[in-house]
Amino acid sequence: MAVKVIEPDDHYDVVDYTPYPYNVPVARRRVARLACDWGHKEVAGDVALLASELITNALLHGCLRERLFRVELFLTGTVLRVAVTDPKGERRPRPREADPHYDQFGRGLLIVRTLASRWGVEGRTVGKTVWAELSTGDPERTP
């Protein structure tokens, strides 16, 4: 695994959460606030929605009782990345067709694919990290 070098203009935040639904809006508000604090108010809503979808997927399919999940936010150059790590590496997300008769579930990764510039999954020794990136469109910064 490559070591991520943080440049002076880059930003990074990480928080571990307990695997309970009340932490979805807590984390969503945090990433939106950080996007604004880091000068990218224009993508705050999108990064909050991406975080919400990735966290909800982790809670539904990747979390174990009493094992924390992690939410990371990176701003590097013109890319804002949200990443969610959970302990179940064997449960990889895959886009699927939503059931039209039961529309509560099945659209999360469709939302992620639509909003994100890129997204993916990285295996870890224990668990996995699912990430999504947004372009900040800031031409003053270098990628």
Side-chain angles (χ1 to χ4, degrees), residues 10-32:
D10 294 346
H11 295 280
Y12 174 72
D13 182 74
V14 60
V15 177
D16 292 330
Y17 295 93
T18 55
Y20 297 106
Y22 63 78
N23 278 319
V24 176
V26 172
R28 181 177 58 233
R29 285 189 298 269
R30 182 178 183 84
V31 300

Side-chain angles (χ1 to χ4, degrees), residues 5 23 45 58 61 79 94 111:
V5 177
N23 278 319
H61 308 293
V79 175
R94 66 187 200 303
I111 292 169

Side-chain angles (χ1 to χ4, degrees), residues 64-100:
L64 299 168
R65 179 176 264 185
E66 306 304 322
R67 296 286 306 271
L68 302 175
F69 69 92
R70 173 169 287 180
V71 178
E72 295 174 277
L73 191 65
F74 304 87
L75 175 63
T76 305
T78 61
V79 175
L80 184 63
R81 175 186 275 214
V82 60
V84 177
T85 301
D86 67 58
K88 281 191 176 177
E90 70 278 7
R91 297 285 313 260
R92 297 291 179 119
R94 66 187 200 303
R96 61 185 172 91
E97 291 295 317
D99 182 348

Side-chain angles (χ1 to χ4, degrees), residues 1 8 13-14 19 25 29-30 43 53 55 57 63 69-70 76 81 83 85 87 89-90 98 103 110 119 125 130 134:
M1 176 153 91
D13 182 74
V14 60
R29 285 189 298 269
R30 182 178 183 84
V43 296
E53 292 301 330
I55 294 164
N57 278 349
C63 284
F69 69 92
R70 173 169 287 180
T76 305
R81 175 186 275 214
T85 301
E90 70 278 7
D103 63 356
L110 176 62
W119 76 279
T125 303
V130 183
L134 291 169

